[in-house]
Amino acid sequence: MKKCGYVTLFGKPNSGKSTLLNRLLNYNLSIVTRKVQTTRNKISGVLTENNYQIIFLDTPGFLAPKYELQKFMLKELNSSLEDADVILNLIDATAFDMNVQIDIFSKIRKSIGTKAYIPLFTKSDLLEEEKLKNFISLYEKEFPGFEIIPVSALTGKNIDLLKNTIVEKLPESEFLFDEEHLTDKPEKFFVSEIIRKNILEQFREEIPYSVFVNVIEYKEREKGKIYIHAEIIVERESQKIIIIGRKGASLKKIGESSRMEIEKFLGKGIFLKLFVKIRKDWRNNPTFLKSNF
Ligand SMILES: Nc1nc2c(ncn2[C@@H]2O[C@H](COP(=O)(O)OP(=O)(O)OP(=O)(O)O)[C@@H](O)[C@H]2O)c(=O)[nH]1
Ligand SMILES: [Mg+2]
């Protein structure tokens, strides 16, 4: 008997969704940074082991949208909740707030419906055992019937327990993907994500959120190398100047660090060409968002 289904990772920005996905897959698929709102799209990661296949959906953090891009992010999140057989609610144990949890639960109650729902405390390695136990009993008192699992993507704590709990709740079904399949997004997507991650890491404040990376050419050339041409799209001239840096130094740094990471990801050498372009206020431009997301 085989089991297979969709498992959505849901939670506030920075709660550790992408890190946990990567841990569960044993593979760095989804980009992780210290900043909030790192993930913008729903990203699937497929784990096939023994007699089960779990299709994890990483999602953008749950927030009240302020601009068009965030509205898109919320749509991605809602559709992931709809697709789910199992919903994992990731709660950052270091930022636990019962009122926030009560509010969030009321907002997703409808999406949960009759689906399996597993609350998790993430980053549990950062909390003293005593405090953690205290939070767990507070949560379980407020939400009777739900058992919280404290996990750590860093140390691996309770990752196997989590996997087993998920498998128990998966529906019986044939596998939906080939066993070698890791994701449904093309390699191109991950290439642009890696470049965006390097920008997120190298710049502060609004720059990262104003950046969109578009891979416009992705070609296998002779000598086994892949030729990649990507555009870094920003919203204003001032941002373009910052991204390029003095005599192109910043752009060069982005290119070098991205290239190394992309080569590791693809397991192949690449040529990487980066250009910076301005698309005024793209985050609020529905046409741009529609054609690029
Ligand atoms: N110590 C510790 N840090 C963690 C753990 N999981 C995640 N982090 C850190 O928390 C930060 C945010 O992690 P992400 O995985 O990007 O969080 P996210 O929920 O995907 O964030 P968004 O995509 O912005 O919604 C990163 O700096 C991670 O290294 C953990 O188990 N232990
Ligand atoms: Mg993320």
Side-chain angles (χ1 to χ4, degrees), residues 62-127:
F62 180 70
L63 45 79
K66 292 206 188 76
Y67 45 87
E68 290 297 320
L69 171 64
Q70 291 179 331
K71 280 190 200 154
F72 164 82
M73 287 158 63
L74 189 62
K75 252 195 227 152
E76 289 280 274
L77 171 57
N78 283 329
S79 94
S80 310
L81 288 173
E82 257 167 50
D83 292 346
D85 295 299
V86 179
I87 295 172
L88 305 181
N89 179 12
L90 280 73
I91 305 162
D92 183 341
T94 66
F96 175 59
D97 181 331
M98 186 64 87
N99 290 327
V100 171
Q101 284 314 310
I102 292 171
D103 180 49
I104 287 182
F105 190 79
S106 74
K107 286 187 175 123
I108 63 163
R109 172 174 274 145
K110 248 202 181 137
S111 310
I112 298 174
T114 58
K115 290 171 181 164
Y117 177 77
I118 308 172
L120 308 176
F121 270 147
T122 58
K123 311 187 191 178
S124 70
D125 55 283
L126 294 174
L127 228 64

Side-chain angles (χ1 to χ4, degrees), residues 210-225:
S210 300
V211 164
F212 173 76
V213 178
N214 192 16
V215 172
I216 54 177
E217 237 185 309
Y218 185 99
K219 262 201 267 178
E220 194 118 29
R221 288 239 173 121
E222 329 79 85
K223 289 182 278 175
K225 277 204 179 186

Side-chain angles (χ1 to χ4, degrees), residues 13-19 33-34 37-39 61 123 125 153-154:
N14 213 41
S15 55
K17 299 177 292 296
S18 302
T19 313
T33 76
R34 288 188 320 236
Q37 293 184 50
T38 297
T39 307
K123 311 187 191 178
D125 55 283
L154 195 76

Side-chain angles (χ1 to χ4, degrees), residues 86-241:
V86 179
I87 295 172
L88 305 181
N89 179 12
L90 280 73
I91 305 162
D92 183 341
T94 66
F96 175 59
D97 181 331
M98 186 64 87
N99 290 327
V100 171
Q101 284 314 310
I102 292 171
D103 180 49
I104 287 182
F105 190 79
S106 74
K107 286 187 175 123
I108 63 163
R109 172 174 274 145
K110 248 202 181 137
S111 310
I112 298 174
T114 58
K115 290 171 181 164
Y117 177 77
I118 308 172
L120 308 176
F121 270 147
T122 58
K123 311 187 191 178
S124 70
D125 55 283
L126 294 174
L127 228 64
E128 297 151 36
E129 201 56 35
E130 214 33 50
K131 224 171 181 181
L132 195 62
K133 273 194 192 139
N134 186 19
F135 284 169
I136 292 174
S137 66
L138 273 176
Y139 185 93
E140 290 178 350
K141 216 186 228 160
E142 182 67 41
F143 298 100
F146 292 131
E147 229 173 275
I148 208 154
I149 305 179
V151 297
S152 167
L154 195 76
T155 65
K157 174 178 160 183
N158 284 343
I159 297 297
D160 284 338
L161 170 70
L162 171 61
K163 244 196 257 177
N164 294 337
T165 312
I166 291 170
V167 173
E168 254 173 52
K169 298 182 191 296
L170 283 185
E172 284 178 27
S173 152
E174 287 302 314
F175 293 169
L176 295 169
F177 292 92
D178 294 338
E179 305 207 4
E180 301 77 39
H181 211 93
L182 198 66
T183 178
D184 66 352
K185 286 247 189 293
E187 282 174 340
K188 243 170 78 166
F189 170 78
F190 295 100
V191 167
S192 65
E193 285 288 274
I194 291 170
I195 298 167
R196 195 165 65 81
K197 175 187 154 217
N198 278 279
I199 297 169
L200 277 162
E201 278 172 348
Q202 282 178 40
F203 298 93
R204 279 199 258 175
E205 301 307 319
E206 25 88 65
I207 293 274
Y209 301 109
S210 300
V211 164
F212 173 76
V213 178
N214 192 16
V215 172
I216 54 177
E217 237 185 309
Y218 185 99
K219 262 201 267 178
E220 194 118 29
R221 288 239 173 121
E222 329 79 85
K223 289 182 278 175
K225 277 204 179 186
I226 298 171
Y227 173 85
I228 298 169
H229 176 179
E231 288 175 346
I232 297 170
I233 294 168
V234 292
E235 294 187 303
R236 287 193 297 278
E237 178 68 32
S238 59
Q239 295 167 339
K240 180 175 171 177
I241 292 168

